Amino acid sequence: MTDRLLGKTALVTGAATGIGRVVADRFAREGARVVYADRDAAGAAAAAAAAGQSSRAVTMDVSAEASVAAAFADLAADGWTPDVVVANAGVQLFGQDAEVADLDLDVWRRTIDVNLTGAFLTVKHAVRGMLALGGGSIILTGSPTAVRGEGSDFTAYSTSKAGMHGLGRTVAAAYARRGIRVNTVGPAYTETGLVSTITNDPEARAAIIGRIPMGRAGSPADLEGIMVFLASDESAFATGAVFAVDGGMTTL
């Protein structure tokens, strides 16, 4: 590793598993102090312990403002206000999310609460801390479903990701002159526990991979490099952008 994030304090939501865990681990290897944030307290604690002494865990339910506010307040009190925040926590309710005419309101609300309201609350409290620091970098985990019809039978999930893309652009414009950058990373189908329903269905997996020009699924490791770049000062002039890491899917 190259210590590209030396001197940074980074918080990653959904960091107990999947993309969040892999990105948080890479941030730690790049020299950052890393906060592993997750509503799974035991999972976050185990991940932080494995990363080493410059990491810590916080229990955070991103859909509940009291939980998010308390986590950021506790970090600030300990001198751990993040200047890098990755809003990554999310859900995709397989077997429940559906085409709009068949979608239950409860499924819609649960998805929006975590994916979009959760991103809003994470960004809100991240920005408050970064204003006190004089700047920072926020990274959102988006999706091709936000910009194309890829998730036509996942109305709630696709809409939540479209909202997240809009949130990123809006906040980037609002705070650009105050030193806060906001960018979105859009991975294609990435094999983690979140999408095990597809991974374990050979026909569904083949169909989605067939729509990726590179002809393979993504892995969390495919996102490490772009996340490090956006967290680092190397991306100082990048804000309000969407960086597609999707094997060419959005070129179709």
Side-chain angles (χ1 to χ4, degrees), residues 9 19 23 28 40 54 81 85 106 121 135 191 206 236:
T9 299
I19 292 171
V23 169
D40 175 3
S54 293
T81 299
V85 169
D106 177 65
L121 292 173
E191 294 193 324

Side-chain angles (χ1 to χ4, degrees), residues 9-11 33 35 37 56-58 60 69-82:
T9 299
L11 179 147
R33 298 190 302 176
V35 180
R56 62 186 287 178
V58 297
M60 183 189 295
F72 275 93
D74 289 347
L75 292 170
D78 290 345
W80 276 64
T81 299

